[in-house]
């Protein structure tokens, strides 16, 4: 199981390194009020995007990662000694706010930490989306480009067609600090939440008054109104009024489930801010930084850094071109075109892999026009889809973001129309408004078809959620200072409505663990340690894809994913759905084969397929599997028993080459 001390030390090291790097860059292209708050996210984006491009070309190893980190650290520290003058006294985020953000960031990080209860080990529900820890392990173990840890055929490494930059940066932590993938995931989940909170506090203060960072933290703690509606109206009535909740939620909920999308949202926000700075300043450093931040956003989340940011850029570019002086328009147009072209070149490996993934699935377009389901069964099937379109704006967004949707939009509109802001802040508000509109509209009208849920809609809203927190906090700080009691009072009411669900989410992440087979899970680290003794780093392991399936809200092979540090022959339906380029029919056929083999209802041919078609060099059979009593592997002549733990597990190794006919 992961060491909390190791994860904490890694989080501190990551924060120090990426903050120093980001500050060295940011203080030369951003006002000092923003340089430090944006530094953690900026440093992560620049370093991760640049180092990934470098290691894809020249190979990844702990020594190479250490060399790049040392050079970047020395250059950054040396740069900080060069004084940069800025006229006037600048308000800054107070130190207590950063400490409060560090504490708040523990809420999503704790959701990834297992809890020991006597002889049991249990986990929180968000661990389901952290089964991708297997990506961290495979990069740290085998290098780049990453092999597909979830599926492989005919002893091939497989192609991982996924936006894996976040996992690559975690793999660097793991390789440099000798961490497990799980420990690196915990550390980077905390860092992702903290860097996003820091960014929101800095921007809230940039537009608002001194109390804005405090309000930003409080707004970040809020959740959905659905929790209160269920308590007041009853769960059945709420479900009749609203569609079943599918994960569309604000910052707090998603920070624990999908930290990779949280950092992509930070990159999208920073990217539009850097575009607004290119409109008023000539800076090669700002240009290069913009390219790397855009690439980092795309390589962390195609839905945010690709679709949502592209929509925002399509609106932002002409707006900025119209607002700058005529003499500067050609320069800005060329700069933006050059940044776009260079970003595409750097992100090309990801783009090509995802195009190949879509083609291999043979499932049509990965994105289609549609609508987000809002209303429940109380509304007739014939009219419900039509009513869902306005209900998205009038019901869903107020329910899911009661504290920030109305207050943030009102404040954003006021700042957008204000004549009191300086030119740079006017441009910043304009580009942030464009990003907000892009995120909300993408979630409203676009549907992703790759997985069972509409992942595009669920993630595209995140940049808007971040920006609405910023402007709700900035607006509230101004309204309180100016004595605007009605506006301030209404905003505080929204804040109070969102806090109960926020408390529920934090409790679920930290102390409320659902029922699960904790004793069995607690015994699996020893099993996987034995598996590693009998397998090489590049070999694939087969075990029941439904093993301990009730550890998570949806069935995933969690024990394998977070503890094995070995690739799987077939990691199960849920994990291959999004991360393996398989047509649906083929995925279902393979899933049925593996389930049969480990249930003990398969055939010798099934066992032969596991060894030769899917390259399962090692097989792990547990006492919970049906094949424990009807063991096909022992009698197959293909596998040999190499280690066993009585009444717990057996480990078999193939006695014929995986690619034998």
């Amino acid at each position: 199981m992961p060491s909390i001390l190791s994860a904490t030390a890694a989080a501190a090291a990551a924060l120090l390194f990426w903050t120093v790097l980001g500050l060295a860059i940011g203080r030369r292209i951003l006002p000092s009020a923003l340089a430090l708050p944006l530094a953690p996210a900026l440093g992560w984006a620049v370093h991760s995007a640049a180092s990934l491009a470098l290691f894809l070309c020249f190979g990844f190893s702990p020594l190479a990662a250490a060399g790049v980190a040392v050079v970047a650290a020395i250059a950054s520290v040396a740069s900080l000694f060069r004084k940069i003058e800025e006229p006037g006294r600048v308000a800054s985020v107070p130190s207590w706010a950063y400490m409060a953000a560090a504490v708040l960031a523990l809420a999503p990080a704790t959701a990834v930490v297992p809890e020991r209860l006597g002889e049991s080990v249990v986990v929180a529900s968000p661990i389901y989306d952290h089964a991708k820890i297997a990506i961290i392990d495979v990069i740290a173990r085998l290098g780049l480009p990453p092999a597909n840890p979830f599926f492989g055929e005919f002893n091939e490494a497989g192609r991982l067609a996924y936006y894996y930059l976040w996992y690559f940066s975690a793999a660097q932590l793991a390789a440099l600090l000798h961490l497990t993938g799980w420990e690196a995931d915990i550390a980077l989940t905390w860092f992702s939440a903290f860097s996003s909170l820091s960014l929101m506090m800095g921007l809230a203060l940039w537009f608002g008054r001194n109390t804005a960072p405090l309000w930003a933290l409080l707004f970040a703690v809020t959740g959905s109104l659905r929790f209160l509606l269920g308590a007041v109206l009853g769960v059945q009535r709420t479900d009749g009024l609203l569609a079943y909740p599918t994960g569309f939620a604000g910052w707090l909920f998603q920070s624990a489930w999908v930290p990779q999308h949280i950092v992509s949202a930070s990159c999208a926000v920073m990217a539009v801010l850097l575009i607004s700075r290119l409109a008023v300043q000539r800076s090669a450093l700002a240009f290069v930084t913009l390219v790397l931040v855009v690439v980092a956003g795309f390589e962390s989340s195609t839905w945010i850094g690709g679709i949502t940011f592209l929509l925002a850029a399509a609106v932002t570019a002409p707006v900025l071109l119209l607002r700058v002086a005529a003499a500067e328009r050609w320069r800005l147009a060329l700069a933006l075109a050059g940044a776009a072209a260079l970003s595409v070149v750097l992100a090309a490996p990801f783009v090509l892999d995802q195009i190949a993934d879509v083609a291999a699935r043979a499932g049509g377009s990965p994105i289609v026009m549609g609508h987000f389901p809002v209303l429940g069964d109380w509304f007739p099937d014939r009219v419900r889809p039509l009513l869902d379109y306005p209900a998205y704006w009038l019901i869903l967004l107020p329910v899911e973001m009661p504290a920030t949707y109305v207050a943030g939009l009102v404040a954003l509109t006021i700042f957008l129309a204000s004549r009191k802001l300086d030119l740079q802040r006017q441009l910043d508000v304009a580009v942030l408004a464009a990003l907000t509109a892009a995120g909300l509209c993408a979630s409203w009208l676009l549907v992703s078809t790759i997985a069972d849920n509409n992942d595009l809609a669920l993630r595209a809203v995140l940049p808007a959620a971040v920006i609405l927190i910023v402007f709700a906090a900035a607006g509230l700080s101004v309204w309180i200072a100016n004595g605007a009691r009605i506006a301030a009072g209404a905003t505080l009411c929204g804040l109070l409505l969102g806090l109960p669900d926020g408390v529920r989410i934090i409790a679920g992440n930290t102390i409320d663990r659902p029922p699960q087979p904790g004793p069995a899970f607690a015994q699996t680290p020893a099993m996987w340690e034995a598996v590693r003794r009998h397998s090489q780093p590049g070999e694939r392991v087969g075990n029941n894809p439904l093993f301990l399936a009730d550890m998570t809200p949806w069935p995933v092979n969690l024990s394998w994913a977070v503890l094995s540090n070995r690739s799987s022959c077939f990691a199960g339906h849920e994990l291959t759905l999004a991360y393996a380029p398989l047509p649906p029919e083929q995925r279902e056929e393979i899933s049925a084969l593996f389930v049969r083999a480990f249930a003990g209802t398969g055939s010798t041919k099934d066992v032969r397929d596991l060894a030769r078609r899917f390259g399962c060099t090692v097989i792990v059979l547990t006492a919970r599997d049906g094949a424990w009593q009807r063991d096909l592997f022992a009698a197959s002549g293909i596998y040999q028993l190499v280690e066993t733990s009585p009444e717990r597990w057996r480990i078999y190794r193939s006695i014929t080459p995986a690619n034998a006919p």
Side-chain angles (χ1 to χ4, degrees), residues 114-152:
E115 180 181 0
R116 183 170 288 279
L117 300 173
E119 297 298 317
S120 297
V121 173
V122 293
V123 291
S125 295
I127 197 70
Y128 167 82
D129 252 331
H130 291 261
K132 296 188 285 290
I133 286 170
I135 300 175
I136 301 173
D137 282 328
V138 79
I139 295 174
R141 187 173 73 248
L142 300 178
L144 294 170
N148 190 325
F150 306 107
F151 176 73

Side-chain angles (χ1 to χ4, degrees), residues 511-598:
I511 60 175
D512 185 15
R513 298 293 193 261
Q516 50 198 275
F521 184 59
Q523 296 171 1
T524 58
M527 180 182 77
W528 292 115
E529 184 179 351
V531 168
R532 289 191 292 274
R533 287 197 299 268
H534 295 286
S535 60
Q536 297 300 315
E539 292 178 334
R540 291 192 180 272
V541 173
N543 76 308
N544 189 346
L546 299 179
F547 178 56
L548 301 181
D550 41 356
M551 289 293 299
T552 50
W554 299 274
V556 296
N557 197 349
L558 183 70
S559 175
W560 159 79
V562 300
L563 293 170
S564 73
N565 196 15
R566 287 295 182 268
S567 296
S568 174
C569 319
F570 179 78
H573 177 275
E574 292 289 327
L575 291 175
T576 53
L577 179 64
Y579 314 122
L582 292 171
E585 298 81 7
Q586 185 181 0
R587 182 174 58 252
E588 295 301 329
E589 174 230 329
I590 296 170
S591 179
L593 186 154
F594 273 79
V595 170
R596 285 197 309 271
F598 285 93

Side-chain angles (χ1 to χ4, degrees), residues 11 51 71 77 141 144 211 222 248 297 325 396 424 441 555 559-560 661:
S51 59
V71 171
V77 171
R141 187 173 73 248
L144 294 170
T211 58
T222 60
F248 188 98
L396 180 70
Q424 186 60 75
C441 289
S559 175
W560 159 79

Side-chain angles (χ1 to χ4, degrees), residues 292-362:
L292 292 174
V293 169
V294 169
V295 171
F298 175 78
E299 293 177 347
S300 302
S301 169
T302 300
W303 308 131
I304 296 174
I307 306 301
T308 306
F309 174 73
L310 284 178
L311 292 174
V315 176
T316 297
V319 169
L320 291 179
L321 288 171
L322 290 175
R323 299 191 67 167
V324 300
E328 292 292 310
R329 286 175 187 163
W330 276 109
R331 179 194 64 80
L332 177 60
L334 289 174
L336 295 179
L342 190 53
S343 299
V344 170
V345 170
L346 289 178
F350 283 77
V351 175
L352 295 175
D353 276 349
Q354 294 196 32
I355 291 173
D357 176 73
V358 171
R361 291 173 184 272

Side-chain angles (χ1 to χ4, degrees), residues 84-105:
I84 297 177
E85 298 290 342
E86 185 166 343
R89 187 174 180 275
V90 178
S92 59
V93 176
S95 57
W96 63 260
Y98 288 114
M99 289 187 286
V103 173
L104 178 54

Side-chain angles (χ1 to χ4, degrees), residues 95-477:
S95 57
W96 63 260
Y98 288 114
M99 289 187 286
V103 173
L104 178 54
L106 291 174
T110 306
V112 195
V113 177
E115 180 181 0
R116 183 170 288 279
L117 300 173
E119 297 298 317
S120 297
V121 173
V122 293
V123 291
S125 295
I127 197 70
Y128 167 82
D129 252 331
H130 291 261
K132 296 188 285 290
I133 286 170
I135 300 175
I136 301 173
D137 282 328
V138 79
I139 295 174
R141 187 173 73 248
L142 300 178
L144 294 170
N148 190 325
F150 306 107
F151 176 73
E153 283 188 289
F154 306 111
N155 210 31
E156 294 180 353
R159 182 182 69 252
L160 181 64
Y162 186 68
Y163 32 85
Y164 58 80
L165 182 67
W166 191 89
Y167 303 94
F168 162 71
S169 60
Q172 290 194 80
L173 287 179
L176 291 173
L177 302 178
H178 301 287
L179 307 174
T180 66
W182 199 347
E183 290 162 351
D185 187 282
I186 295 168
L188 201 56
T189 298
W190 178 88
F191 172 83
S192 302
F194 175 82
S195 62
S196 179
L197 289 168
S198 178
L199 178 147
M200 289 189 285
M201 291 192 302
L203 286 175
L205 183 60
W206 176 242
F207 295 109
R209 303 295 176 85
N210 289 339
T211 58
L214 169 63
W215 296 120
L217 290 176
L218 288 175
F219 281 121
V221 177
T222 60
S224 171
L225 191 58
R226 184 187 284 265
F227 177 66
L228 285 182
L229 288 176
V232 174
L233 301 177
V235 175
Q236 279 190 327
R237 290 178 179 173
T238 302
D239 289 344
L241 175 65
L242 300 171
Y244 185 79
T246 55
F248 188 98
W251 182 91
L252 181 62
F253 179 86
Q254 298 211 43
S255 62
W257 285 80
V258 286
Q260 72 274 27
H261 295 286
I262 292 290
V263 296
S264 184
S266 295
C267 288
V269 171
M270 292 188 296
V272 295
L273 291 174
L274 289 169
I275 290 174
S276 77
R277 267 140 190 85
L278 281 180
V280 295
Q281 62 180 259
R282 298 169 182 261
S283 170
L285 180 59
F287 174 85
V288 173
T289 303
L290 170 62
V291 170
L292 292 174
V293 169
V294 169
V295 171
F298 175 78
E299 293 177 347
S300 302
S301 169
T302 300
W303 308 131
I304 296 174
I307 306 301
T308 306
F309 174 73
L310 284 178
L311 292 174
V315 176
T316 297
V319 169
L320 291 179
L321 288 171
L322 290 175
R323 299 191 67 167
V324 300
E328 292 292 310
R329 286 175 187 163
W330 276 109
R331 179 194 64 80
L332 177 60
L334 289 174
L336 295 179
L342 190 53
S343 299
V344 170
V345 170
L346 289 178
F350 283 77
V351 175
L352 295 175
D353 276 349
Q354 294 196 32
I355 291 173
D357 176 73
V358 171
R361 291 173 184 272
S365 173
I367 300 173
V368 297
M369 296 291 293
H371 71 282
F372 197 90
V374 178
L375 302 175
D377 294 335
W378 284 1
F379 299 87
D381 292 342
R382 290 180 298 176
V383 298
R384 190 191 310 148
L386 185 62
L387 293 176
D388 278 341
Y389 284 97
Y392 173 86
W393 301 96
L394 301 177
I395 297 178
L396 180 70
L397 293 177
V399 166
E400 293 296 344
M401 295 184 280
T404 58
Y405 173 58
V406 175
L409 281 184
V410 170
L412 180 56
T413 302
I414 292 173
F415 281 111
L416 196 59
S418 175
R419 302 291 183 181
K420 297 180 181 179
L421 299 179
D422 58 51
L423 175 61
Q424 186 60 75
R425 283 182 173 85
Q426 289 178 18
L427 296 177
D428 289 346
V429 173
V431 297
L432 291 173
L435 182 56
T436 302
L440 295 179
C441 289
S443 294
W444 181 36
L445 296 174
L446 298 180
V447 177
S448 58
T449 62
I450 292 177
D452 288 339
N453 62 345
N454 182 5
D455 209 31
L456 168 57
L458 301 180
R459 311 312 169 206
V461 74
L462 272 173
V466 167
I467 295 167
L468 290 175
I469 289 174
V470 167
F471 282 99
L476 181 56
S477 69

